[in-house]
Amino acid sequence: MKQIPRILAIVVLFVLYGFTRPSDISNADKEDLAEGFNFEKSVLYQPSNIKPVYIHQVHPQYKKIDAWISLVGAAVNVTDFDGDKLPNDIIHVDPRYNLVLISPAKGTGDRFKPIELMPKQLPYNPESMPPSGTLTDDFNQDGKIDIMVNYLGRSPIIFYQSDNGFIEAELNPTLEKWFTTTSTIADLDGDGHNDIFIGNYFPDGARLYEKDATDKDQVMQHSFSRGDNGAVNRIFLWAGIKDGKAIFKESMDWRNGLEFNNDWTLAVAAADLNGDMLPEVYVANDFAPDKLLLNKSTPGHLVFKELKGKKGFMSIRSSILGRDSFKGMGVDFGDMNGDGLLDIYVSNIADNFALHESHYAFINTGDIAGMEQGIAPFVNESEKLGLSRSSWGWEAKLCDFNNDGVLEAIQATGFRKGKIDRWPELQELATGHDEFIANPENWPKINDGDDISGHSHIPFFVKHKSGKYFDVAANIDIDEYQATRGIATADIEHDGKLDFVSAAQWQDSKLYHNTGNTNNTFLGLRLMNPLRPEMTDVVIDPKDETYPEKYAVGAKAVVTLKDGKKLVGYVDGGNGHTGKRSSEIHFGLGNINVNQVQNVELSWRKSNGLVASTKVQLKPGWHTVSLPY
């Protein structure tokens, strides 16, 4: 009888080992799974007259960890900058040059000369205020794409596109020292106009990149799991247009009633999860639990309610939405199991022989009623789906690259490539007292040449017939080691195949042009709001395309297939870390006839705040649908 406890312990260990050890399939099976996927790689535009740097200057107190302080900034955005009705223009931030670079995607023609975007009219120092990402929208509704640039050291600037170049304007009327790592656009208050969510990281007012500073009050996070001494996240509500510029006013009370302290936010995503056409917001936080916010707002007045997953007897706390302690780095919405509901894919740190937490695949249970009681209707199934591990994760994106109707999952990964592994010292630091961690002088040396998860590749997860995802990056030759941050997707040529672009930190950023072979068909939607009040009818593929229009951010499309299966998509306003996909909707339809008409239900919000919907029938291919605004 005395042996029973020991036997039980051994059994428990074997059971736990069975749950935690990674499973795999043969390389031959991976080759079969990778069949049809292929990408041609090309390096993004780089200026030839500027010497690159490979680390930022920093405040003296951060000198011993300047490689850590230089951890973010690479970003990419794919959009229709030149107005040719195609998302074939790339806006990327290359930290090596402290520049925002705008150029045509390779192979799409020399439609304009590359632009090196930098403030000329407003206060700016590229060394102490490096750019960290962009959002694109027609902010002033004149029919041209404008660019909002985030910075690490100042509040964002909107660059309005005009016939005479760019006109610069502060998003925030008073210049402030923010460290913005992410942002997105969505109609958060339901008034029919786009608002802006700003996700910040280091505390407001920090002097991160001021090399000549003499003060010693700089801080790091005071915990690796409950850090609440970071920055203030901001929401700016649209308040009209004046003198050709959009007016945005910061909401000062949107955090009322929430468990918000000062978060270290790295990613944000907004999408309607309960069918009321008000976008819920997922905030991915480093060093603290992520937050899912139920949107109960009315025009001009933001109200959010925090949702948390249910904790059962066998639940692992760290895998429950809103109760986790992992390092939220990237987030995306997409239907991962084909039930017509949006799920949530979240990147954390899950690196072998380093820090093995877990990525998340929060699967939607459909319990909308429970949301009113504060329950997040999501269960983490990342281990079951094979998506729990890869490396140090950043961007997370769900896309259908072969049009079979099943989403692939890709990630930006890696921290910094070097020769000396600093993971042991970093793990030792993580066991320290919170206030010890908060002092940067107590951190181990992390400088140029040091390695932290530097030998990583972009994982390309494809779903197997078993229902589990497997990484086939090596089988399609995209497994080179690189430290990436943002990933943006778009059908750049409108050939029906999604391409993607990766933004690398201190390395070359790349375009991955989809040249794969597939017999599957697709449906692509450009959902646009015409900016003329006399246009009151839904128009499919309008012949007159000379009128000004803007992307209908937040509009939703549901495709009902012949077998009853539903596909769901929405116009994305910039969700994720620093990779911004094009504001178009792409559905893979599988192997069906190219003339088979699809039933599509469209929902959107008009400029008066009212929700509108319509049902249309569309053949496979690309379509522009004009939704009266």
Side-chain angles (χ1 to χ4, degrees):
M1 294 296 293
K2 292 182 179 179
Q3 296 296 318
I4 291 179
R6 182 177 297 176
I7 293 173
L8 285 174
I10 293 173
V11 170
V12 169
L13 284 173
F14 272 105
V15 170
L16 290 175
Y17 177 71
F19 278 127
T20 58
R21 66 185 178 90
S23 61
D24 210 341
I25 54 176
S26 68
N27 194 60
D29 286 338
K30 280 192 176 182
E31 288 289 344
D32 289 340
L33 200 58
E35 183 70 29
F37 293 106
N38 191 63
F39 295 91
E40 291 183 356
K41 294 170 283 188
S42 58
V43 175
L44 300 190
Y45 168 78
Q46 299 174 23
S48 59
N49 59 342
I50 303 176
K51 183 179 179 180
V53 297
Y54 294 92
I55 205 157
H56 287 309
Q57 64 170 30
V58 297
H59 184 287
Q61 200 172 357
Y62 291 126
K63 188 62 179 175
K64 68 182 296 189
I65 54 171
D66 58 2
W68 181 283
I69 299 302
S70 304
L71 83 167
V72 291
V76 64
N77 190 326
V78 183
T79 189
D80 178 15
F81 172 73
D82 67 352
D84 66 355
K85 314 294 183 182
L86 292 171
N88 52 9
D89 305 313
I90 297 175
I91 305 172
H92 79 286
V93 177
D94 193 325
R96 297 174 299 182
Y97 306 101
N98 280 344
L99 280 175
V100 177
L101 303 168
I102 310 169
S103 61
K106 185 177 180 179
T108 64
D110 298 326
R111 291 168 284 106
F112 59 90
K113 292 182 178 180
I115 298 169
E116 299 171 7
L117 188 63
M118 183 182 293
K120 298 177 181 177
Q121 305 153 18
L122 296 175
Y124 180 64
N125 180 339
E127 292 188 333
S128 61
M129 304 172 181
S132 59
T134 65
L135 284 178
T136 54
D137 191 33
D138 182 3
F139 292 108
N140 59 354
Q141 299 185 12
D142 65 353
K144 298 183 181 72
I145 288 291
D146 308 307
I147 303 171
M148 188 187 85
V149 180
N150 300 326
Y151 298 92
L152 300 169
R154 77 168 337 269
S155 42
I157 295 174
I158 298 178
F159 293 81
Y160 290 96
Q161 193 177 170
S162 75
D163 295 335
N164 298 312
F166 291 100
I167 299 171
E168 302 166 15
E170 300 281 5
L171 171 67
N172 184 52
T174 304
L175 173 64
E176 295 184 18
K177 195 171 291 186
W178 301 345
F179 295 86
T180 302
T181 50
T182 190
S183 56
T184 196
I185 292 170
D187 180 7
L188 295 172
D189 66 346
D191 69 347
H193 299 279
N194 293 337
D195 310 306
I196 302 174
F197 185 104
I198 301 293
N200 294 321
Y201 193 76
F202 278 94
D204 298 351
R207 306 182 69 181
L208 221 61
Y209 302 120
E210 298 180 30
K211 63 180 181 179
D212 297 323
T214 57
D215 60 302
K216 284 203 170 186
D217 59 354
Q218 305 305 296
V219 299
M220 300 294 288
Q221 76 279 6
H222 63 46
S223 171
F224 274 85
S225 60
R226 290 292 182 267
D228 61 2
N229 65 328
V232 178
N233 291 329
R234 319 271 181 161
I235 293 179
F236 285 82
L237 297 178
W238 189 89
I241 298 173
K242 184 178 181 181
D243 298 328
K245 300 175 184 176
I247 301 171
F248 291 96
K249 293 186 177 180
E250 184 176 359
S251 171
M252 305 307 295
D253 57 358
W254 71 273
R255 290 181 296 273
N256 288 351
L258 301 178
E259 296 179 17
F260 263 86
N261 293 298
N262 293 344
D263 287 331
W264 300 77
T265 297
L266 283 173
V268 63
D272 174 28
L273 300 179
N274 62 355
D276 64 359
M277 290 303 291
L278 279 174
E280 275 61 57
V281 179
Y282 190 102
V283 183
N285 291 320
D286 210 353
F287 315 123
D290 294 350
K291 295 176 172 67
L292 177 61
L293 306 180
L294 174 66
N295 195 340
K296 307 293 289 184
S297 303
T298 55
H301 183 55
L302 293 176
V303 177
F304 294 102
K305 181 178 182 180
E306 189 169 350
L307 303 179
K308 294 186 178 182
K310 292 181 68 174
K311 188 178 187 302
F313 179 73
M314 297 295 290
S315 300
I316 300 173
R317 180 183 177 92
S318 60
S319 70
I320 300 173
L321 197 157
R323 305 177 190 274
D324 66 284
S325 62
F326 291 166
K327 317 298 182 288
M329 321 280 276
V331 59
D332 197 18
F333 291 110
D335 182 4
M336 302 181 72
N337 57 354
D339 62 358
L341 300 172
L342 289 176
D343 308 306
I344 311 174
Y345 182 36
V346 182
S347 279
N348 293 293
I349 301 177
D351 199 351
N352 289 328
F353 310 109
L355 181 59
H356 215 161
E357 295 182 331
S358 174
H359 309 307
Y360 296 134
F362 287 123
I363 303 302
N364 196 330
T365 67
D367 182 14
I368 293 175
M371 297 172 74
E372 297 298 326
Q373 281 71 54
I375 300 172
F378 293 92
V379 178
N380 179 32
E381 295 186 3
S382 60
E383 181 70 7
K384 174 183 174 182
L385 290 170
L387 294 171
S388 60
R389 331 148 189 256
S390 61
S391 180
W392 184 309
W394 293 89
E395 196 76 73
K397 283 287 188 284
L398 297 167
C399 309
D400 188 353
F401 289 101
N402 64 351
N403 294 331
D404 65 350
V406 180
L407 299 180
E408 282 73 57
I410 58 175
Q411 288 178 303
T413 61
F415 187 90
R416 190 176 183 101
K417 189 176 181 180
K419 297 181 179 180
I420 303 173
D421 186 4
R422 293 297 180 187
W423 261 116
E425 293 98 325
L426 189 59
Q427 289 176 323
E428 183 179 15
L429 173 73
T431 64
H433 188 277
D434 287 354
E435 298 311 316
F436 178 86
I437 296 170
N439 186 345
E441 295 177 353
N442 294 330
W443 278 54
K445 172 184 174 292
I446 305 175
N447 297 140
D448 194 16
D450 293 329
D451 186 280
I452 298 177
S453 295
H455 294 75
S456 303
H457 68 269
I458 295 173
F460 192 92
F461 291 106
V462 180
K463 201 169 191 178
H464 186 257
K465 61 184 178 181
S466 65
K468 197 162 188 173
Y469 282 86
F470 294 93
D471 178 14
V472 301
N475 304 83
I476 58 177
D477 193 31
I478 63 169
D479 62 332
E480 67 267 32
Y481 292 153
Q482 52 188 321
T484 50
R485 295 295 182 266
I487 291 179
T489 62
D491 182 356
I492 288 174
E493 301 168 304
H494 274 193
D495 62 357
K497 293 181 286 191
L498 282 178
D499 314 290
F500 74 94
V501 188
S502 70
Q505 190 77 15
W506 311 118
Q507 294 174 266
D508 291 341
S509 298
K510 297 174 184 175
L511 165 64
Y512 293 78
H513 179 218
N514 190 342
T515 58
N517 295 317
T518 178
N519 294 320
N520 298 320
T521 59
F522 76 99
L523 178 64
L525 300 175
R526 293 181 71 245
L527 301 185
M528 309 299 292
N529 290 139
L531 298 174
R532 293 197 306 189
E534 68 270 21
M535 301 191 70
T536 58
D537 297 322
V538 174
V539 181
I540 299 173
D541 296 322
K543 295 180 181 178
D544 178 12
E545 295 188 348
T546 60
Y547 56 82
E549 59 184 5
K550 71 179 186 68
Y551 288 108
V553 173
K556 183 185 294 186
V558 178
V559 180
T560 302
L561 301 178
K562 195 173 183 180
D563 60 3
K565 179 182 176 181
K566 293 182 182 294
L567 306 175
V568 59
Y570 63 97
V571 180
D572 187 338
N575 292 344
H577 173 51
T578 61
K580 311 303 179 183
R581 60 162 57 91
S582 69
S583 296
E584 299 177 332
I585 301 177
H586 173 273
F587 294 109
L589 299 177
N591 190 7
I592 66 170
N593 189 291
V594 294
N595 293 311
Q596 184 174 318
V597 173
Q598 305 300 308
N599 295 311
V600 185
E601 183 173 1
L602 303 174
S603 303
W604 72 102
R605 197 175 289 272
K606 303 178 75 172
S607 60
N608 59 8
L610 297 179
V611 174
S613 63
T614 190
K615 294 181 180 179
V616 298
Q617 291 189 322
L618 300 170
K619 289 184 179 181
W622 274 105
H623 297 278
T624 295
V625 183
S626 181
L627 303 173
Y629 186 56

